[in-house]
Structure formats: structure tokens, C-alpha cells
Amino acid sequence: MSTPVKSAYFRKRTQADHDGGIRENEVENEMKNDGVTKGSVALLGLGAMGRVLAERLLDAGHPVTVWNRTPGRDTALVERGARRAETLREAVTAASTVVTCLFDHASVRETLEPVGADLAGRTLVDLTTTTPNEARWLGEWAGERGVEHLDGAIMATPSMIGAPEASLLYSGSAEAFERHRTLFEVWGSATYDGADHGAASLFDLALLSGMYTMFTGFYHGAAMVTSAGITAEEFSHRSARLLSAMTGVFPMSAKVIDEGDHTGPGQTLEWTATALDTIARASAEQGVSPRPIEMTRALVLAQIEAGYGHENSDRIYEELRTG
């Protein structure tokens, strides 16, 4: 027969063992779910970007399973410790976090639709470049199958991944983003753009629009000066200084756009049209196609014809908005 003291002692031990067991289970469950941070990741798509994403995960100690439609691209990753999935189903069932970095939206659908049921209960992070509506479609498709979805946009080149200047945008499940933040920061700074699955894609493509038109302008200018025997390298230094200075004007232009008042001081559309015409004629004189300039000039002339020639050149935005 036990004494009251002994009974109290055993009750405490039993409770302690019970509590300890709960804590052990909690730790075990956290370890099982650790695929969202330091745990297992399946990466589908081993192009130039996909391979680097996998490399950085391996560097950070994440168990990584890799799959690619074309065999052979995973050899170096497997040698570094990645697990090769022989089939797509084997890949998506190997981890609680599935990352896709494929060619386009069509390839994402073609890849994921056959394994939709296998993705249930997992988190799908699509880093493929798609349109906002394509990202929204995938978010809806995933939700119907019990899959958490985040759309991601990589604002970096492969060589930048893992460096401070690399930036990645995400939208979709806020809970999934927070749980995966540590994983995402292996690749670069991680920014959450809201619950709209298409938001990250919208920012991505809008920013790339500015980038591609900027580079086209640089290529056009380089073609003009190299036609006169000046090197593109010399031109690049002058161009970088000017463009860097001009980006400082963005906040002022943004204020005009947001307020919708283009009557304030600034370069008028009529003056801009004359400047663009002069550039186009100079381009033709050098035997260089003026098409990049003609595109902008057409936008300006349309607004002048609509009666806004006396307003400032930020009004080009209104022509783009109305089409």
C-alpha cells in the first residue's frame, strides 16, 4: 500500500512523463513538418535557375529531391547530396514542400496535373515566370486539391541567387509564406505581396517591362554610337550615369500619376515629340533602326492629337492605360 506522499510523488511523475511525452511528440511533429524550413524540399525543373536554387538549398543543409523531364541534368546535384527522383510522383511525395521552376505556365500544368492528388497536404511554391491570371489559376487549382500555394517571382539572375542583391517576391498563402521564410531567405530577400496569387507575378512582369525597354534603349543608343566608331564600352559608362540619375525622378512622376494631374511644370508632350523626332532622324542618319524611339513617339503623338500637347510628358502613362 502506498503512502499519501508516495502517491503524490507518483502522480507528479506520471504527469511529468505525460507532459514530457507531449513535448517529445510536439518536437517530433515539428521535425516532421520541418520540410517547410530546414527540412525536405522537392525541386522540379533543373534549368539554369533551378539548378542554382537546388545548390543553395543543399548548401544550407536542406535535404533536396530533384526531378527534371530531361535526364542527366541532376548529376552534379546528386554528387553534392541531392536525391534523384526517378519519377515525378516519387519527387512530389518525397517532401512536404514542392518547388517548381519550369519553362512556362503550360509546362507547369503539364507537369502537375497528373500528380494533383499526390500534392494534397503539401505546399506548392511555383517560381516559374507566368502571368498574374495564370498564377491565380494555379492557386485555385491547388486549393481545390488541398494544396497550399505560393506564387513566386525571382528578381535575380542565377548567379545572384544566395547573394544579398537577390530578391524574390511571393503571393498567396500568408501562413505558408511565414513558415517558409527561412527557406526562402536562403535564395535572397523574401517579400510577401499579399493573398492575391497573381500579385507577385504582376510586380515581376511590370518590373521586367521597365528593364527590357531600358536595355532596348541602351542597345539602340549603342548602335548609334558604334556606327561612328565609338565603343559600346565607352557608351555604357555614360549611359549608366545618366540612367542612374534619371531614376531619381521616378517618385515625382509617380506622384503626378497617382494624383492624375499632368498640367504641372515639366517637359511638355509637344517638346517631347520634337526631341523624339530628332532622335529618330539622327538614328536613320547613322543607318540604325529608329523603332524603339518610334514606339514612344507614337504614344506621345496620340496624346497630342487628343488635345493634351501642352501637358507634361508623364501623360504617356494615360495613353498606355487607355490603349
Side-chain angles (χ1 to χ4, degrees):
M1 178 178 292
S2 63
T3 66
V5 174
K6 287 183 178 178
S7 296
Y9 170 78
F10 284 115
R11 281 198 302 273
K12 290 181 180 178
R13 280 295 303 272
T14 302
Q15 184 65 42
D17 291 344
H18 174 70
D19 292 344
I22 291 176
R23 285 193 293 272
E24 287 178 3
N25 288 336
E26 288 175 347
V27 171
E28 183 179 354
N29 288 334
E30 287 175 1
M31 291 177 67
K32 288 179 180 177
N33 293 329
D34 202 32
V36 299
T37 53
K38 284 289 186 183
S40 56
V41 179
L43 204 150
L44 314 182
L46 300 177
M49 183 63 77
R51 286 197 298 272
V52 175
L53 294 173
E55 287 172 0
R56 297 293 83 78
L57 290 176
L58 290 169
D59 291 342
H62 291 266
V64 179
T65 298
V66 293
W67 175 88
N68 193 72
R69 187 178 313 182
T70 304
R73 289 188 175 180
D74 61 1
T75 302
L77 291 170
V78 171
E79 290 174 352
R80 293 185 58 170
R83 174 188 172 191
R84 173 185 292 133
E86 300 297 339
T87 66
L88 178 58
R89 179 163 283 104
E90 180 184 343
V92 300
T93 57
S96 59
T97 304
V98 178
V99 178
T100 49
C101 188
L102 301 169
F103 183 71
D104 58 10
H105 178 66
S107 62
V108 172
R109 291 188 61 166
E110 182 181 347
T111 299
L112 296 181
E113 285 183 333
V115 293
D118 299 292
L119 287 166
R122 291 175 166 79
T123 300
L124 172 64
V125 183
D126 184 28
L127 299 180
T128 307
T129 301
T130 64
T131 71
N133 279 347
E134 289 168 344
R136 293 177 185 120
W137 179 92
L138 187 59
E140 184 176 350
W141 177 90
E144 291 170 352
R145 287 155 180 78
V147 182
E148 263 188 327
H149 172 259
L150 277 168
D151 183 66
I154 304 173
M155 310 306 298
T157 61
S159 63
M160 293 165 61
I161 298 299
E165 61 268 24
S167 172
L168 287 85
L169 315 177
Y170 300 90
S171 57
S173 169
E175 294 81 4
F177 174 78
E178 289 302 328
R179 291 201 317 274
H180 288 75
R181 184 188 290 271
T182 302
L183 183 151
F184 294 154
E185 289 175 348
V186 168
W187 296 324
S189 66
T191 301
Y192 179 66
D193 283 318
D196 174 9
H197 293 268
S201 174
L202 180 60
F203 271 113
D204 176 30
L205 299 180
L207 290 166
L208 289 177
S209 173
M211 183 194 77
Y212 279 114
T213 51
M214 178 192 69
F215 273 108
T216 300
F218 168 73
Y219 300 146
H220 179 255
M224 290 180 68
V225 300
T226 56
S227 69
I230 302 167
T231 66
E233 181 180 4
E234 180 181 346
F235 177 70
S236 70
H237 298 306
R238 300 193 188 197
S239 181
R241 285 196 298 270
L242 175 64
L243 293 177
S244 296
M246 288 298 99
T247 58
V249 180
F250 284 177
M252 291 182 283
S253 291
K255 186 175 186 294
V256 170
I257 289 170
D258 289 338
E259 293 177 351
D261 182 5
H262 301 280
T263 61
Q267 183 173 298
T268 66
L269 288 171
E270 290 172 345
W271 196 98
T272 301
T274 301
L276 293 172
D277 180 66
T278 304
I279 297 169
R281 287 187 288 109
S283 178
E285 288 176 5
Q286 298 301 128
V288 173
S289 171
R291 280 180 290 176
I293 295 301
E294 289 174 344
M295 175 193 70
T296 305
R297 187 168 179 268
L299 296 171
V300 170
L301 291 178
Q303 282 293 296
I304 291 175
E305 290 170 5
Y308 300 107
H310 62 287
E311 297 192 12
N312 64 52
S313 59
D314 291 321
R315 194 168 182 95
I316 293 172
Y317 161 85
E318 304 294 346
E319 184 62 26
L320 291 167
R321 284 278 293 175
T322 61

